[in-house]
Amino acid sequence: MGGRHEDFEEYATLRGPRLFRTALLLTGGDWHQAEDLVQTSLAKVYASWVRVRGADNRDAYVRTVLVRTHISARRRRQSGEQPVAAVPDAAAATGDPALRVALLQALAGLPPKDRAVLVLRFWEDRSVEQTAADLGLRPGTVRNRTGTALAKLRELLGNDRESLSSTTTGS
């Protein structure tokens, strides 16, 4: 049993930061919700670690648990918590802070499934088929949601799009 614990601990230590970054995007930049999401997901993974350890692609398995846990939590949220308009004060290690804030705010304005599709497709660089498998959707549905979510993201960014493209090309 000790080997199982050590194997899981090593995996969680190595993959935790990437899972957190994905969770941060899924939660629309909410640091605390992202931490809770990663912890809940890792607890679920630990409970079935024997099966996860034998999976062909552990990362895909764990990422699927993370996304499905997020969607389930959003569905059954019964507390009075409301999302905030501002991203928490956190130092960005790299990149343009204005771009990061604008994108996080725009992502937060999307429905959870649309946000999950965009995060998996463009942040995690997953294919349409991989994203469909992770979310339990058909590839055509993922393509439709991607187009719809990108259009909504463009709408939410509005006039910021021109300033964002000039900051990314000027860097």
Side-chain angles (χ1 to χ4, degrees):
M1 199 60 113
R4 172 185 167 199
H5 175 75
E6 291 165 1
D7 189 32
F8 172 79
E9 188 174 337
E10 179 182 347
Y11 179 84
T13 300
L14 289 173
R15 298 293 194 248
R18 183 177 181 119
L19 288 171
F20 176 74
R21 288 189 300 269
T22 301
L24 192 61
L25 291 170
L26 287 171
T27 60
D30 187 313
W31 193 274
H32 300 293
Q33 279 185 359
E35 286 177 334
D36 290 346
L37 177 58
V38 170
Q39 289 301 317
T40 302
S41 299
L42 286 175
K44 289 179 178 182
V45 167
Y46 181 73
S48 59
W49 185 244
V50 172
R51 183 175 48 235
V52 176
R53 188 168 46 182
D56 290 337
N57 188 342
R58 286 183 196 176
D59 292 336
Y61 190 104
V62 173
R63 192 172 29 255
T64 300
V65 169
L66 181 82
V67 171
R68 289 182 179 170
T69 301
H70 170 67
I71 291 170
S72 293
R74 294 286 302 190
R75 261 191 227 131
R76 68 174 180 273
R77 179 180 287 175
Q78 295 175 3
S79 70
E81 291 182 66
Q82 296 294 319
V84 295
V87 176
D89 291 329
T94 59
D96 181 15
L99 173 64
R100 181 179 297 269
V101 169
L103 288 175
L104 283 174
Q105 287 176 338
L107 277 172
L110 296 175
K113 274 201 177 177
D114 288 350
R115 188 178 326 136
V117 166
L118 291 184
V119 168
L120 290 174
R121 290 279 293 122
F122 301 109
W123 178 262
E124 292 286 331
D125 198 26
R126 313 271 294 150
S127 70
V128 169
E129 291 74 20
Q130 291 168 325
T131 302
D134 286 349
L135 296 175
L137 301 172
R138 293 182 182 158
T141 304
V142 170
R143 284 192 274 289
N144 285 340
R145 278 193 176 273
T146 300
T148 303
L150 285 174
K152 180 67 174 169
L153 194 62
R154 287 183 189 106
E155 180 184 315
L156 290 170
L157 287 171
N159 295 333
D160 289 340
R161 282 191 7 229
E162 289 80 34
S163 63
L164 291 175
S165 61
S166 66
T167 59
T168 57
T169 57
S171 296

